[in-house]
Amino acid sequence: MAGPQVARGYLGRPGLSAERFVACAFGVPGGRMYRTGDLVRWRADGTLDYLGRVDFQVKVRGFRIEPGEVEAVIARHPGVAAVAVVAREDRPGDRRLVAYVTGVVGAGLEAGEVRRFAGEALPEYMVPSAVVVLDELPVTRNGKLDRAALPAPELPVSGWGRGPRTPVEEILCGIFCEVLGVEAVGAEDSFFELGGDSLLATRLVSRVRSGLGVELPVRVVFEAPSVAGLAVRVAEATGVRVRPGIRAGVRPEGVPLSFAQRRLWFLNRLEPGSVVYNLPVVLRLSGWVDGVALGLALGDVVGRHESLRTVFPEVGGVASQHILDT
């Protein structure tokens, strides 16, 4: 990878630049190219197989994150003696950053304080979802960090805050529990300190919309992350028109073609039998196959997706969509 757009984050950082940029063998003499950190295998036919990373860069919720950058910020906390940041997926499909820290003797390090400190210098997507305070970081025999021995963070639990006092707070507590996957939430507990993030905040406002009939922008969750604070915003937004839910309407016998479908239909009539827009796929099954189970699985797919049951009959030279029942 080459070009000025990849060098912006390395301006004024000669050590990191020397590590990441190598001589470019394809451009002008003296040019440099970026070492991506991707580990690939180059086949004889020119195909590249992606095998992983040669560094510790991770991808969390669509963002590429270098854990070392997060570690550098947390290490500036006066009470932190050592820190390690890793990406964990303790629940399938839920990948999160977790910071492991050890405290300076007598510092009385608290996980919530470390997370708030990181949030002051890092964008939200780089702030660890959980901070685990350890007596010491586990290491291998040669003194390197033993990442496999890092314990899974405990599930977030409610703090010592009060319970809900109003029906709205009670409903919001239930929504918080549902979205965060926790058993109980106090009215003063912070959504983000209990493991919330921007993606879950989007789900939260969606559930508030359906459960309380109130339209709230996602930024409100960041401004008032507790149940009590959000209840105040709900009261302020009461009466604001909520977007109506999507409902299925009455479907005519012949549904008009979309503009894209009209184009494809015209090209098909212009050049009948053309394979330009056909994507042939061949699947090969090996071993024993349960034909009945395979048939039922394919039936489920066709039954759930109307596009696979759609035909385009023509009446008077005009095509329309007709969705078959089975």
Side-chain angles (χ1 to χ4, degrees):
M1 181 184 296
Q5 68 278 358
V6 301
R8 183 176 181 180
Y10 296 86
L11 182 64
R13 306 170 74 179
L16 197 58
S17 297
E19 175 186 347
R20 286 298 184 184
F21 289 87
V22 297
C24 180
F26 308 99
V28 298
R32 312 293 288 178
M33 63 189 307
Y34 180 71
R35 187 197 304 271
T36 66
D38 293 326
L39 180 63
V40 299
R41 176 174 54 204
W42 197 347
R43 294 185 178 183
D45 61 358
T47 303
L48 294 178
D49 292 333
Y50 178 75
L51 304 179
R53 300 282 303 178
V54 297
D55 55 18
F56 296 112
Q57 188 182 90
V58 296
K59 193 172 185 180
V60 179
R61 303 196 304 275
F63 294 98
R64 288 195 176 274
I65 300 172
E66 180 61 60
E69 296 183 6
V70 183
E71 293 172 352
V73 170
I74 296 178
R76 294 202 295 264
H77 189 287
V80 171
V83 57
V85 175
V86 300
R88 298 186 64 101
E89 192 171 343
D90 298 299
R91 290 185 294 185
D94 184 17
R95 201 175 199 200
R96 296 170 178 261
L97 282 182
V98 179
Y100 296 87
V101 298
T102 62
V104 176
V105 177
L109 196 61
E110 295 184 0
E113 170 59 27
V114 174
R115 194 176 186 280
R116 284 190 290 271
F117 180 84
E120 294 175 355
L122 294 171
E124 187 276 331
Y125 69 89
M126 293 182 68
V127 178
S129 297
V131 175
V132 180
V133 180
L134 302 174
D135 293 333
E136 60 181 13
L137 297 178
V139 295
T140 60
R141 292 183 177 180
N142 57 6
K144 294 184 178 180
L145 176 67
D146 188 354
R147 296 177 180 272
L150 292 171
E154 296 182 1
L155 292 176
V157 295
S158 174
W160 296 99
R162 64 173 177 85
R165 294 175 180 171
T166 66
V168 172
E169 287 187 355
E170 186 174 357
I171 294 173
L172 286 175
C173 283
I175 294 175
F176 270 49
C177 291
E178 178 184 342
V179 173
L180 294 171
V182 297
E183 295 183 358
V185 172
E188 303 293 344
D189 291 333
S190 170
F191 177 78
F192 298 103
E193 290 185 3
L194 291 177
D197 53 42
S198 56
L199 180 60
L200 292 179
T202 303
R203 297 180 187 175
L204 179 67
V205 296
S206 177
R207 288 289 292 109
V208 169
R209 182 188 306 119
S210 60
L212 293 172
V214 174
E215 189 76 41
L216 293 176
V218 177
R219 62 176 173 78
V220 169
V221 183
F222 292 87
E223 296 170 354
S226 68
V227 168
L230 204 59
V232 175
R233 297 303 185 92
V234 168
E236 295 173 348
T238 300
V240 178
R241 185 178 179 183
V242 179
R243 289 177 295 175
I246 299 176
R247 297 182 179 180
V250 179
R251 177 179 291 159
E253 180 65 23
V255 181
L257 300 183
S258 67
F259 290 113
Q261 289 172 328
R262 290 180 187 178
R263 176 176 179 271
L264 292 177
W265 175 82
F266 174 77
L267 293 176
N268 178 264
R269 289 297 176 268
L270 185 65
E271 187 179 356
S274 173
V275 296
V276 173
Y277 289 96
N278 292 328
L279 300 176
V281 176
V282 177
L283 301 177
R284 177 179 297 174
L285 301 178
S286 60
W288 181 81
V289 177
D290 188 335
V292 176
L294 180 60
L296 292 174
L298 291 176
D300 285 343
V301 172
V302 174
R304 293 182 180 182
H305 299 279
E306 292 185 344
S307 60
L308 301 178
R309 293 183 279 111
T310 302
V311 295
F312 303 91
E314 296 183 29
V315 177
V318 178
S320 63
Q321 302 181 65
H322 177 71
I323 302 173
L324 303 176
D325 294 331
T326 57

